[in-house]
Amino acid sequence: MQTENMLKYPDYFMIIGYFILMLAIGLYFYRSMKGIKEYFSGSNNIPWWLSGVSFYMSSFSVMAFITYPSLCYRFGFVGVTLLWVAVPATLFSTVFLAHKWRRARIESPMEYLEYRYSPVLRQLFSWQGVPTKVIDDGIKLFAIGTFISVSLGFDMKWSMVGAGGIMLLYTFMGGLWAVAVTDFIQFIILTAAVIIILPLSLIRAGGISQVLNGLPDGFMNLTSPEYGWGYVLYLVVMYTLAWSSVNWALIQRYYCVPTERDAVKTGLSVVFLYIIGPPLMFLPAIIGTRLLPGLTDAGTIYPALCRLLLPAGMLGLMISAMFAATMSTLSGDYNVCANVLTHDVYRRLLRPAASQRELVLVGRLMTLLVGLLALGAALLMAYQAKAEDLFNIMVTLFSIATAPVAIPMILGLLSKSFTERSALWGFLLGLLLGLVLFGLSYYPRPFSVLFVEWTPEKDQIAFFGYAASLEMVLFLATSLTTFFTMVLITLLNPMKQKEKEHIEPFLRRLEIPIGTLPEEKDSQNIHSGVSPFRIVGVSLIIIAGMMMAVLPWSGNWTTFILNAIIGVFLVVVGLALALSGRRKPLVTE
């Protein structure tokens, strides 16, 4: 049996080259960021295909290559099904909300709350959302630090500092343009790595028929006894709420494009990528049941397959792809959190008349602040003896916070009736109930309070007599409380004339297509001087060159041919993009 490959010089060449390329892209866009709209929304000129890929890459992290392959290895195809829940979630936001987010004509996800509800709700959601994002990003940095430490043997804390610092630098320099372009390059690297490891795993296992014949009964079913349709439905609803409103970085991808039609194309491209992406990425974990049977830690199946199958250079490419999965998510979060702090706090409360130069400077400083806070949270987790317990607590807390924020935001876009008071009380009561249930769940002995029964030895809560996991119960309780509170308060105390007059301009704006307002007509022929085509094309050629450089270490003809085909394809596409790119003079408002 072939032993696992260890990292060699070609692998380090690929990893170092990847990091240098990311920094170069940030530096490329540095001088183009003259205004706050350019820095945080790309002046609404980011192409839909670039925004769609950025959305896709920003929606998962390296944790996806630990969690879902582990599920595939233990339970089968259900691991793919649990990521396919992103398809209906994205489709909902695309059909019902994408054009509204673009027509809202906002520069920050929280800005809309002031127009639709009140300044109080805008500030409340902003101050609630930023700490939640920072902690979430700290968890992701902790995950990538762990991955680097295991893969390369580096110290985990310095791994987090190094990866987090590089990502923070290119986001700091280039704003949303740098985030979107680096996301696209990271997508190419991830795709190239996946395209290589899937056929290699099939060939090593003896082909598709050999793999299928050796699997347990029901292993290729969409669900499993452990994860049935009820759990899948829960995930669909949670993803739908989160991706339609709470995940600021994803909302940003809808309103950074030129038109609402482009916003819809952005969403549809994500739907397509999520249909084909999960099977390509995680089928190797199912094949791994034959290649690496009896693995004690199923969460390591993907790194183990990479070490077993990939030759020098390609192993470095796959590790770079793992970096990419988290770095794209974090860079998007850093940018949009800095956007909220700059627009919704600094500009709204402190300096309404601040110049564009000042706002760009503040935006960059806020990016540094968010990144450093996330890094601090990650380092704090690294020093905790029970970091895994801390991670589980944070995941549970996010289950509490999602619905109370998401439901008011979504209903505010879909309906004209819900009042500011209903949104405020829906948020407060939903959050309060979630925190109470969460606190009760840490009681060490079984108990029953009203409709809640807690069984600690099974880690289950019975809610109205139906047993479910803690996360599911918390999400259901907060969702129902928030929704019905908003409905009840709106019915009992309908919107007054003063509130109607406050929200009427915003509601009218949602009915007006992009490009029809006078100021938009005047600027239709004025485009930003920032163009992604040339830098994307050159970056693809550089990646192809890196892949060609490690061909002598391919190890076998199959890897050599796959690597060469991908490299040639990237050169052709890169040349086409680079030659078509034309950089126009930058026009700022």
Side-chain angles (χ1 to χ4, degrees):
M1 178 177 177
Q2 179 182 330
T3 58
E4 291 184 350
N5 296 324
M6 303 302 292
L7 287 174
K8 298 183 174 67
Y9 288 117
D11 298 309
Y12 291 108
F13 166 76
M14 296 293 284
I15 295 170
I16 293 171
Y18 162 77
F19 280 125
I20 292 174
L21 181 58
M22 296 299 101
L23 288 175
I25 291 171
L27 187 62
Y28 174 84
F29 287 108
Y30 179 77
R31 289 192 299 173
S32 300
M33 301 298 106
K34 305 296 184 181
I36 196 67
K37 191 172 183 179
E38 192 84 53
Y39 190 76
F40 284 127
S41 61
S43 291
N44 304 112
N45 276 319
I46 293 181
W48 66 266
W49 54 270
L50 190 60
S51 183
V53 170
S54 182
F55 185 125
Y56 176 71
M57 289 299 295
S58 297
S59 62
F60 60 88
S61 68
V62 72
M63 287 301 295
F65 288 88
I66 297 173
T67 304
Y68 295 103
S70 172
L71 292 170
C72 288
Y73 185 83
R74 290 186 294 158
F75 307 116
F77 198 80
V78 66
V80 174
T81 303
L82 295 181
L83 195 52
W84 264 347
V85 299
V87 173
T90 309
L91 198 58
F92 173 87
S93 66
T94 300
V95 173
F96 295 104
L97 299 173
H99 68 287
K100 291 181 179 290
W101 281 121
R102 183 61 188 94
R103 286 187 183 182
R105 297 165 171 87
I106 54 176
E107 297 180 21
S108 157
M110 297 292 97
E111 181 183 354
Y112 129 82
L113 289 169
E114 179 167 349
Y115 302 139
R116 177 56 182 86
Y117 292 117
S118 70
V120 172
L121 216 62
R122 176 181 182 177
Q123 293 300 317
L124 180 63
F125 279 27
S126 297
W127 287 103
Q128 178 272 339
V130 170
T132 303
K133 281 289 181 188
V134 167
I135 295 172
D136 186 31
D137 290 343
I139 292 173
K140 292 169 184 171
L141 265 178
F142 179 80
I144 198 172
T146 304
F147 186 88
I148 295 173
S149 177
V150 172
S151 300
L152 305 182
F154 296 161
D155 179 76
M156 186 172 69
K157 300 178 185 66
W158 284 110
S159 299
M160 290 188 294
V161 171
I166 290 171
M167 175 180 37
L168 183 56
L169 277 176
Y170 72 70
T171 308
F172 167 84
M173 291 187 290
L176 185 59
W177 272 110
V179 171
V181 171
T182 52
D183 282 352
F184 187 85
I185 302 306
Q186 290 160 352
F187 169 75
I188 296 299
I189 293 174
L190 178 62
T191 303
V194 168
I195 288 175
I196 289 172
I197 196 169
L198 179 57
L200 289 181
S201 59
L202 274 174
I203 292 170
R204 183 67 180 270
I208 296 177
S209 61
Q210 288 290 331
V211 172
L212 294 178
N213 291 334
L215 295 177
D217 292 339
F219 213 66
M220 294 302 291
N221 291 345
L222 291 175
T223 61
S224 68
E226 297 82 4
Y227 298 96
W229 286 113
Y231 186 77
V232 172
L233 180 61
Y234 149 70
L235 284 183
V236 168
V237 176
M238 188 173 72
Y239 270 60
T240 299
L241 292 182
W243 287 19
S244 299
S245 57
V246 175
N247 197 318
W248 297 344
L250 305 188
I251 295 170
Q252 188 184 40
R253 301 309 185 272
Y254 284 133
Y255 67 72
C256 70
V257 295
T259 68
E260 63 258 34
R261 180 176 293 181
D262 290 319
V264 172
K265 288 180 180 179
T266 295
L268 292 177
S269 66
V270 176
V271 170
F272 172 76
L273 290 173
Y274 258 109
I275 290 174
I276 65 173
L280 292 176
M281 288 190 290
F282 302 134
L283 281 178
I286 296 178
I287 302 170
T289 58
R290 286 185 57 83
L291 298 179
L292 296 167
L295 200 63
T296 55
D297 183 2
T300 63
I301 179 61
Y302 218 91
L305 282 173
C306 293
R307 290 194 299 270
L308 175 66
L309 299 171
L310 296 178
M314 291 303 96
L315 183 56
L317 181 68
M318 179 55 81
I319 291 175
S320 298
M322 300 301 101
F323 293 158
T326 296
M327 293 176 72
S328 57
T329 305
L330 289 173
S331 61
D333 281 351
Y334 289 176
N335 181 265
V336 77
C337 282
N339 186 4
V340 169
L341 288 173
T342 303
H343 272 296
D344 301 295
V345 178
Y346 182 82
R347 189 182 195 181
R348 181 66 181 84
L349 299 180
L350 302 177
R351 293 276 292 172
S355 67
Q356 290 295 305
R357 180 183 292 272
E358 179 182 344
L359 290 174
V360 171
L361 175 61
V362 172
R364 287 193 165 120
L365 293 176
M366 291 298 182
T367 302
L368 282 178
L369 175 64
V370 172
L372 292 175
L373 287 174
L375 181 58
L379 291 172
L380 183 62
M381 294 175 201
Y383 280 105
Q384 297 296 318
K386 296 184 178 180
E388 183 178 349
D389 292 341
L390 181 60
F391 174 80
N392 292 331
I393 292 173
M394 293 306 173
V395 170
T396 304
L397 289 175
F398 294 142
S399 299
I400 297 172
T402 296
V405 174
I407 289 175
M409 291 187 70
I410 293 173
L411 292 181
L413 285 174
L414 294 179
S415 172
K416 302 177 181 179
S417 303
F418 290 99
T419 64
E420 184 267 342
R421 180 176 295 179
S422 74
L424 178 61
W425 281 105
F427 167 74
L428 293 176
L429 292 181
L431 190 63
L432 178 62
L433 178 62
L435 291 173
V436 169
L437 291 176
F438 177 68
L440 290 176
S441 71
Y442 273 80
Y443 191 70
R445 294 187 296 275
F447 67 83
S448 176
V449 179
L450 296 178
F451 50 81
V452 178
E453 294 182 3
W454 166 238
T455 311
E457 64 271 14
K458 295 182 179 180
D459 195 25
Q460 285 186 339
I461 291 183
F463 189 67
F464 287 113
Y466 294 95
S469 67
L470 175 62
E471 291 78 11
M472 291 177 65
V473 171
L474 291 175
F475 180 75
L476 178 61
T478 55
S479 298
L480 293 176
T481 301
T482 303
F483 177 75
F484 283 112
T485 298
M486 290 187 66
V487 170
L488 186 61
I489 290 179
T490 300
L491 289 175
L492 295 177
N493 191 8
M495 191 177 295
K496 302 294 189 296
Q497 184 61 34
K498 184 177 180 180
E499 189 174 353
K500 289 181 180 178
E501 293 173 357
H502 170 73
I503 69 171
E504 185 59 31
F506 174 74
L507 296 178
R508 282 202 306 268
R509 199 157 69 225
L510 290 182
E511 302 299 323
I512 302 173
I514 294 294
T516 57
L517 293 177
E519 61 270 22
E520 293 170 344
K521 288 181 179 179
D522 294 339
S523 62
Q524 273 184 321
N525 295 322
I526 300 178
H527 299 284
S528 166
V530 179
S531 170
F533 294 100
R534 181 170 296 175
I535 184 63
V536 169
V538 171
S539 298
L540 292 182
I541 294 172
I542 292 174
I543 294 171
M546 292 166 58
M547 294 183 69
M548 296 294 190
V550 298
L551 281 178
W553 291 270
S554 296
N556 58 67
W557 280 108
T558 302
T559 309
F560 184 94
I561 293 171
L562 285 171
N563 199 9
I565 291 174
I566 294 171
V568 171
F569 177 76
L570 292 180
V571 168
V572 172
V573 175
L575 283 173
L577 289 172
L579 294 176
S580 66
R582 293 292 183 269
R583 187 175 177 83
K584 300 178 176 65
L586 181 63
V587 179
T588 57
E589 296 181 356

